Amino acid sequence: MHCDIHHRTHVYRATELHREAMTLRPPHTSLRSRVGWTMVELGLRLAQNRPTRAAVRAPRPA
């Protein structure tokens, strides 16, 4: 493929992707709201039931 054609297709695709990204951008929210939801996500991750080290180690038979 000729380099000029390759460059034009790249520019066209980049413009198309940029336009699509602008339509999918979430609405602007306040900093307080974003921080709040981040804290909720973090809390949910911490609250997940994960096995502790004591539960992972099984007692060895004597």
Side-chain angles (χ1 to χ4, degrees):
M1 185 182 291
H2 196 271
C3 64
D4 289 339
I5 295 172
H6 179 72
H7 182 264
R8 285 179 188 249
T9 57
H10 170 72
V11 169
Y12 175 76
R13 181 68 177 143
T15 305
E16 184 179 282
L17 288 173
H18 182 69
R19 204 174 287 139
E20 183 180 337
M22 293 299 284
T23 62
L24 297 176
R25 182 175 290 181
H28 294 289
T29 57
S30 68
L31 178 62
R32 182 177 177 173
S33 177
R34 287 184 284 178
V35 170
W37 280 111
T38 302
M39 290 176 69
V40 168
E41 290 177 14
L42 178 63
L44 289 173
R45 288 181 189 169
L46 292 174
Q48 289 177 348
N49 292 330
R50 288 188 238 160
T52 61
R53 283 192 145 181
V56 174
R57 294 183 185 173
R60 294 185 181 174

